[in-house]
Amino acid sequence: MDEQNENPVANGLVALVAVGLVIGLLAAIIALLGTRLFGLDGSGGSSSGDGVAVGDSLYLPSLQPTELDSGLLVTLAPAVTETPAVTEATESASATASSSPTGSAAPRDARIGLSAGSSQVGSGEELMLSGTYSRGEGSVLDIWYDVNGTGWKEFNLDVNVYGGVFQVFVATYQTGRIAWRVQDPETGLESNEVMVLHGDE
């Protein structure tokens, strides 16, 4: 009876040990497969031949120095060296114009150009004077006239510059050859003269 009672207990223990070993082995295999599958084994995943880990999701290539195109630099070099020369020439011309007395030569884009609508008008008839003054935006120009070479007098009318141009109508009962011009009173810059015959010759 004692041997029969001991045999079932021994058999049960052996069975329990065997089941425990099987369960432990299965757990170890599952754990090993899980760590390799999710990259948790601390090795960072298997590496390829170029040093990039298979499990990595971001790859930053190594920096390489960029070689400059020497031909492009040679092409741009003259433009860089010529710029100061152009600037100096412009500044020199501006300084010369600003230091010159009234009536002397001025830069072409700073001059006042004047033209008359007709070369002859009747006594008291309106004469259109128009012109350009690109640097005189908003300026108020004085009108001057000289009757038969007797001397310049200021006309009792002014003209405004808008958009770099101006236009005005003048009329006088004086007859003869009358020269007209306009002047910027702020800068002293004068336009060219236009000669118009007023009345019959």
Side-chain angles (χ1 to χ4, degrees), residues 118-143:
S118 177
S119 60
Q120 181 176 1
V121 294
S123 177
E125 184 180 347
E126 286 188 339
L127 170 68
M128 184 185 72
L129 298 176
S130 61
T132 59
Y133 188 18
S134 60
R135 292 191 181 181
E137 182 64 28
S139 299
V140 179
L141 306 180
D142 295 333
I143 302 174

Side-chain angles (χ1 to χ4, degrees), residues 144-162:
W144 292 78
Y145 68 110
D146 180 4
V147 181
N148 298 319
T150 58
W152 289 99
K153 298 178 182 178
E154 186 173 355
F155 198 72
N156 60 348
L157 187 65
D158 296 327
V159 59
N160 298 325
V161 179
Y162 293 109

Side-chain angles (χ1 to χ4, degrees), residues 5-181:
N5 291 335
E6 290 178 0
N7 288 335
V9 173
N11 292 335
L13 291 175
V14 171
L16 287 175
V17 171
V19 171
L21 289 175
V22 172
I23 293 174
L25 182 60
L26 290 175
I29 291 173
I30 292 172
L32 181 60
L33 292 176
T35 55
R36 288 188 178 276
L37 181 61
F38 294 103
L40 301 175
D41 58 351
S43 64
S46 60
S47 299
S48 61
D50 57 356
V52 180
V54 174
D56 292 342
S57 59
L58 176 64
Y59 169 63
L60 182 64
S62 59
L63 299 178
Q64 297 294 335
T66 303
E67 295 183 1
L68 296 177
D69 188 353
S70 59
L72 182 60
L73 292 177
V74 171
T75 302
L76 292 179
V80 174
T81 56
E82 288 176 4
T83 301
V86 173
T87 303
E88 290 174 4
T90 304
E91 291 178 353
S92 176
S94 300
T96 303
S98 61
S99 61
S100 300
T102 302
S104 61
R108 182 174 298 275
D109 60 348
R111 295 175 182 171
I112 305 175
L114 180 65
S115 62
S118 177
S119 60
Q120 181 176 1
V121 294
S123 177
E125 184 180 347
E126 286 188 339
L127 170 68
M128 184 185 72
L129 298 176
S130 61
T132 59
Y133 188 18
S134 60
R135 292 191 181 181
E137 182 64 28
S139 299
V140 179
L141 306 180
D142 295 333
I143 302 174
W144 292 78
Y145 68 110
D146 180 4
V147 181
N148 298 319
T150 58
W152 289 99
K153 298 178 182 178
E154 186 173 355
F155 198 72
N156 60 348
L157 187 65
D158 296 327
V159 59
N160 298 325
V161 179
Y162 293 109
V165 297
F166 59 90
Q167 179 177 318
V168 65
F169 289 88
V170 295
T172 178
Y173 286 98
Q174 299 193 57
T175 60
R177 295 188 176 276
I178 302 179
W180 297 90
R181 76 182 183 193

